[in-house]
Amino acid sequence: MLQTDLHSYVQLFAFGLVAGLTGLCAIATVVTQNIVRSATWLLFTLAGTSGIFFLLGADFVGAIQLLIYVGGTMVLVVFGVMLTAQGPFIHMKTNGAEWAISIAAGILLFSVLSVGLGSEYLARATGARGVSKDEDTKDSHHAATIGQALSGAPYGPERKNDNNAGTHYLLPFEIVSVHLLVVLIGAAYLARAKRRKEEIT
Amino acid sequence: MSDEVHLYPYLVLGALLFTCGVVCMATKRNAIGILIGVELVLNGANINFVAFSKYNAVFQVEGMIFALFVIVLAAGEAAVALAIVLNFYNNHATVDVDGADELKG
Amino acid sequence: MFETVRNQPGLLFVIATLLPLGSFALLLAWGALRWGLRPYAKNGSLVDNVYQCLGGPVPGPGPAYVATAAIGLAFLCSFIGFGVFLSEVGEMHRLEHHLHELHLEHAKPHGHKAEPEAKKDEKEDAKQAKLVKKEPERNLQGEYNILRHHWLGSTTWAQVVSTKTKDAERGSILTVGFKIDMLAAVMFVMVTFIATLIHLFSIGYMSDELKKTVEDHEVHTPHGHYERRGRFGRFFMFLSLFCFSMLNLLLADNLFQIFVSWELVGICSFLLVGFYFERTSASNAANKAFITNRVGDAGFIIGLMILWTYCGTFNFEELFAQIRCPKADADGEIVLEEKIKANDKIQIRKTNLSNKIVRCDPGENTEYGWRQTNLAKDGKAVLLFPRDQSGHFHGPHQTEYLFDHPGAKQYGHMPYWLLVVAGLGIFLGCVGKSAQFPLQVWLPDAMEGPTPVSALIHAATMVAAGVYLVGRSYPLFTPEVLLTISYVGAITLFVAATIAVVMTDIKKVLAYSTVSQLGYMMLGLGIGGWTAGLLHLLTHAFFKALLFLGSGSVIYGCHHQQDMRKMGGLFPKMKITALAMLMGVLAISGIPLFSGWYSKDEILAGAFGFAMVNKQHFLLFLLPLATAGITTFYMFRMWFMTFMGKPRDEHVYEHAHESPWQMTVPLILLAILSVTVAWPKPDEHGWPLFDAQQSWLAHQLHHYSQPKTIEVEDVEDAHGHPIPLDVDFVKENQAALAHHAGVGYLALGVVAIGLIFALALYLYGWLDPAEAKEQFPGVHRFLLHKWYFDELYSAAIVRPGMVIAHWCRNFDTYAIDGFVNLLGRWNLNASYWSGKFDRGIIDGFVNVLADASYAVGNGLRNVQTGYLRSYVLFLALSAVALTVLLYAWVAALGG
């Protein structure tokens, strides 16, 4: 019991810490006027998010988050920042009224979401409250499970006899792969559009 | 169990990230800033997915699978968006999205 | 063709009819060609050559030769036809008689001949036996049919299929045909002969029209007298058409053909009276003649419709067969036996129905479609006999079975009063055409036409058509109608004669004398003197044509001076004309040996007979008797004023001259015929010139043509033949025959008085006409104004008509137009408000919608800022709003 309590407290603390940092970083991302800084705060936010994933026991997703997001996507963003980071564009100020409106809208949205998430209705609809199981939380989801799911192999104890489970995510996985490929090609193509235009003209 | 971290705080965090993303998109005039906002929104969603996978047995694997998809899509989206930004920059010599008001009614 | 005519000599008359039609068509085509080519005829061109060949601007007397040749040939045909007819009519008549008697002979064994007639039967039997023995092998009926076929013929030219009648032929066929009997044949010869002479006369009289331009002295324009092109060809074209119409009228075997010709005659009269249509008086006179005739024709057509409705045919023979009882049936002569209760005894009254109108009282309709009917003397209906009386025909019995619409072999009936109306209607047509009271007003005005026209149309032929039609349809007339005819004739003859006394225009005198003489004819027909009336028609045609042509000659010689007060003493200058006219004057006055004497004496005798039997109608004798004297007076007055005494106008006298031969030859011929046309035929007893009853022409008409006759054995002529008497007027006819001579002397006395007055006033000057005028100023004025007939009609008909027309016009202008205008104004107002409503409310509504859409669009336009960031904001806010709404909704649902 004690152990459980300790585990809980550590977990609570860790969650509070990581979540607070992530939230602060996100707010900082928004608030800062410098695009470079903003990108940097984003980096931290993303990293914080991966921390959250780890806390939730989704190690694989957290790793992927770190790898792709923090490693890949952020590089792209920074790339973009650097490519366009000329004097005036670093500090493009938004006027106060816009800020006020945006923040008001943000607060509204946030409050609606928070209130809504906490409501009985949504809880019932998602079955969120009181369904967590200690056994499950202890089991972290490893790459093997996810890989099994994606490749169509049976996974998990209660799904072993499920004949239909085999083909669950193979096709979407493949589609996403192709999608990525297309995106990469498209991005490359778009990026070199200017040179083509010059050729034409 | 009362002091255990429940689903709700995760969702609030997701909502916070989502809201920050939206506000970011609404306030940043830089195209890259908007891209950053989009990433924030996606991260907020991802937190939700993963949190549901943890606290709801039904979404045990699916939540994470969706989170993975989102990450991948975000990467792709970032690539395309960056390409668009670069193109926009090439055409308008600026990354100020307020200059892109061709859709004005 | 020659063979055809030999087989059916009646076709000679058809040819005679068609010749003037051909002439008309030829002249019409000729004139139309000249008229059409005239504008294009330029010198030397081909068209000009053709134009010149057709006569050029001055066509010469060619048309006159064509028309005269045509009518001359027609006269020749008629004359030959008349000769053939005369040679056959006796035989035909004899055969008919024998057939009739044979029929009675055969019928006797089965018949119910009454006892008292047995004696006569013996006599007849002897005759019959002789006849049958003498000609045992001959097919009498066949021979008779062949002879009849010579003079009858018709073809169908229109047929309508009737759905109502049981008899397929009834009321469905119109035919054209010819029927030649003595009357038609004689009339043909008379009309063609007079027309030929008048054509000849016209060549001289109308020679003025040969010029390229004719100056009409009676039409004044601002530039002097009116000048026009000569109308020589047109005149003869009209004459030809007129002759055709008149001859077709004589030829017809049915009423409809007569009606068509009747109207053609009317239109020719209109065209010829209005020949100088530039003169107002002439065009008015033409209109007056035409419109007055329309009144009569309305009656005529009513009569036609009644007869067509009930008899279903217009053919004369079929009509007569239906209306008049046949002479005999399968049982012999048709005798009706009635039981009469008199003095408590039942007696049997026998009536011979032969040729009579049989009246009956139709009973109630039975379920079999016929009614049981009792014959009665004063029945409400007229029995219509079967048209097909061949075979075993039974005459009417005391009780007859009738159908409303008789078939060819059935009895039928028609209301008696309708038969009277039909007769009056037909007679009204004759009143118009023959210028009888009260429609006599048009004839004197019609003297506006050229004088030959006056002679041809208004003396000899056209006005004769009315009398001819009365004679033709005589069996259709009931006693009431005949009495009406008599009175109309009597009134006409007296009124017209009195007016003629004061007229000073030579042609007007003749016009009124014509009206008066036509009255004599009508009177003669009305009192049962069929022969007398028609004989007078024939004789009058000759002497009136003579008088008119004579007056034409005088007028021509005096340079179109018609006023007798400016003539006088012309005898030395125009001897032929004067003597010829004297013949006419004597004839019309009824001087013995002249043709008028034979006819007028017979009429007067008939009138006397009628007045003897029907004492209440004594006026019917007194009026014509007095008028005989008046006639003599005014005719001699005219002759004396024109030819005797001293010239009253030196200018006229100086220029007077005798007319050319084209005009005098017809006068001489007509003068001879005026004297001799009614003369008796010399026979073994001598030449009975002084017996007014022995006129050969009258005998021909009387024996061979008079309809609905009966032969009464105790009245015989000089040769011992029974004289046919009118069945409706047996007693009257007998009285007339008995008193003929006495009446003749009486008439001569009256004529002598008239002659003495004329001599005293106008030749010897014992009395001054001016003094007579002053003595009776009222009477003179009354007569001078023609008994105020024109004024009366003007006041009674024309002016009320005008007033009603004005009312109608005002009604149209104010009521109908007003109503229409009001409607129009209402419509305008309604349209105005409707427009307002459309523009204001409907358009307004649509516009408001459109404006609202535009405003909304315009407003929403501002929302589309084009700024990415604002879109994001909208998205966020929308999400918030939707979520809030969702919650609100769920909360509301969840309660």
Side-chain angles (χ1 to χ4, degrees), chain C residues 790-819:
Chain C
D790 283 338
E791 287 78 1
L792 179 70
Y793 289 163
S794 172
I797 294 164
V798 179
R799 293 193 45 202
M802 298 286 255
V803 168
I804 290 169
H806 266 279
W807 287 348
C808 289
R809 203 198 71 170
N810 286 345
F811 180 73
D812 267 11
T813 316
Y814 297 113
I816 294 186
D817 284 10
F819 180 64

